[in-house]
């Protein structure tokens, strides 16, 4: 694969275009021509609507298995075995190289290969919902059969999804609990902040905007300043001020322990989704 293939030749096939598969397809469209994207879904109408939106090609599982360079497997872990059993004959017939891209929590690269019936190249990813606006945190593990060039092309083609970070596969469940499940935890926090603002008299829309933008800005400050969150927290907590009183109430309620327990629970569940 050459560098030019990112824009002119690499074919990406998406099997399953629900929330996560659809978000990744939209991200890919920021880098690829629509005709290089093949979309399929159990409910064909959903794939058809997204294909029309992106200028992509409506396809089916077998066509994608036989023609795509990167085959995105966007189904739930419990459905992966059935899907790969269906794709196996088409994959076995191929004489050219292709890469399977799995986003299924809890399924290892080896398990994907076993289900597919061959030691095919696999990239295992764990994306999150902000991929849909290009602000995702995507963890990935390059399987042993994937070349450096195939990894590079994959990263360039999917650059529109957000920030990518390689991670050892043994840490994928832990990373997924933070980056993959984290948006739900953050959404809950933003909702709670807004509810508190409404309780203090703010209009609902204003409270939601204030809370959401605060979270965006705080996150960017951590990433761009490289300062520890504890240091940044201390900078806001003036002696005898209102912020430290709020922090005290959060500590009394076990806020940090609750968040840690949520991550641990999500990590443990990720390993039992088969």
């Amino acid at each position: 694969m050459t560098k030019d293939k990112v824009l002119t030749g690499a074919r990406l096939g998406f099997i399953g275009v629900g929330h996560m598969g659809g978000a990744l397809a939209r991200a890919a469209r920021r880098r690829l021509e629509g005709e290089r994207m093949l979309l399929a879904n159990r409910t064909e109408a959903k794939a058809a609507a997204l294909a029309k939106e992106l200028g992509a090609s409506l396809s089916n599982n077998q066509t994608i298995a036989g023609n795509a360079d990167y085959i995105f497997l966007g189904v739930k872990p419990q459905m992966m075995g059935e899907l790969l059993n269906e794709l196996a004959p088409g994959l076995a017939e191929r004489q050219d190289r292709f890469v399977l891209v799995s986003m299924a929590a809890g399924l290892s690269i080896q398990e994907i290969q076993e289900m597919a019936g061959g030691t095919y190249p696999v990239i295992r990813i764990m994306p999150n919902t902000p991929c849909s606006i290009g602000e995702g945190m995507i963890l990935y593990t390059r399987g042993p059969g994937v070349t450096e060039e195939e990894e590079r092309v994959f990263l360039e083609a999917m650059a529109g999804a957000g920030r990518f970070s390689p991670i050892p596969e043994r840490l994928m469940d832990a990373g997924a609990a933070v980056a993959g499940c984290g948006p739900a935890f953050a959404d809950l926090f933003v909702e709670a902040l807004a509810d508190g603002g409404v309780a203090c008299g703010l209009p609902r829309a204003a409270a939601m905007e204030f809370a959401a933008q605060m979270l965006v800005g705080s996150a960017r400050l951590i990433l761009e300043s490289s300062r520890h969150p504890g240091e940044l927290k201390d900078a806001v907590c003036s002696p005898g001020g209102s912020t430290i009183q709020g922090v005290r109430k959060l500590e009394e309620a076990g806020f940090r322990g609750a968040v840690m327990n949520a991550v641990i629970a999500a990590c443990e569940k990720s390993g039992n989704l088969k």
Side-chain angles (χ1 to χ4, degrees):
M1 295 184 185
T2 66
K3 186 172 182 179
D4 290 341
K5 193 170 185 181
V6 175
L7 297 179
T8 62
R11 295 161 295 182
L12 273 61
F14 294 84
I15 298 177
V17 291
H19 291 302
M20 202 66 262
L24 290 173
R26 289 184 176 91
R29 184 64 180 87
R30 298 186 183 108
R31 293 282 293 161
L32 300 177
E33 300 99 332
E35 60 266 25
R36 293 298 177 181
M37 296 173 55
L38 307 174
L39 309 182
N41 196 72
R42 174 174 290 188
T43 303
E44 186 176 291
K46 180 177 288 188
L50 186 59
K52 182 178 180 181
E53 173 191 333
L54 301 180
S57 300
L58 178 62
S59 189
N60 57 64
N61 294 358
Q62 289 72 29
T63 299
I64 289 175
N67 294 278
D69 297 306
Y70 294 85
I71 302 170
F72 286 74
L73 306 171
V75 300
K76 298 182 184 300
Q78 301 89 330
M79 301 169 60
M80 187 65 76
E82 178 184 351
L83 172 63
L84 288 175
N85 184 61
E86 175 190 345
L87 301 184
L91 297 177
E93 291 177 0
R94 292 188 63 164
Q95 300 300 311
D96 58 334
R97 286 190 63 82
F98 61 89
V99 177
L100 299 175
V101 182
S102 170
M103 61 190 85
L107 290 179
S108 69
I109 289 172
Q110 182 177 346
E111 288 171 320
I112 293 296
Q113 291 174 326
E114 290 173 354
M115 291 178 183
T119 55
Y120 304 121
V122 176
I123 296 175
R124 182 180 173 189
I125 67 172
M126 184 48 59
N128 62 11
T129 50
C131 289
S132 63
I133 59 168
E135 292 291 346
M137 181 68 248
I138 306 96
L139 313 177
Y140 76 96
T141 300
R142 187 183 87 188
V146 181
T147 68
E148 290 184 2
E149 179 69 0
E150 286 167 336
E151 177 188 17
R152 183 188 66 78
V153 171
F154 167 76
L155 292 174
E156 289 189 9
M158 295 306 300
R163 183 186 296 246
F164 282 77
S165 179
I167 188 172
E169 188 173 24
R170 62 183 175 80
L171 295 178
M172 184 64 80
D173 288 344
V178 175
C181 302
F185 307 154
D187 291 339
L188 196 63
F189 179 54
V190 168
E191 183 183 30
L193 282 174
D195 284 346
V198 171
C200 292
L202 286 174
R204 170 67 62 182
M208 196 68 74
E209 179 185 1
F210 299 166
Q213 180 57 41
M214 176 284 302
L215 195 64
V216 170
S218 297
R220 292 193 67 85
L221 183 59
I222 292 171
L223 290 173
E224 295 181 13
S225 71
S226 298
R227 295 168 66 187
H228 190 280
E231 180 187 354
L232 295 172
K233 178 265 295 178
D234 288 348
V236 185
C237 294
S238 302
S242 57
T243 304
I244 194 62
Q245 292 303 319
V247 169
R248 178 174 65 86
K249 285 296 183 180
L250 288 174
E251 294 288 12
E252 285 181 357
F255 177 74
R256 285 192 287 186
V259 173
M260 290 171 66
N261 285 338
V263 172
I264 293 168
C267 179
E268 292 175 344
K269 181 63 177 178
S270 290
N272 294 285
L273 289 176
K274 304 176 186 66

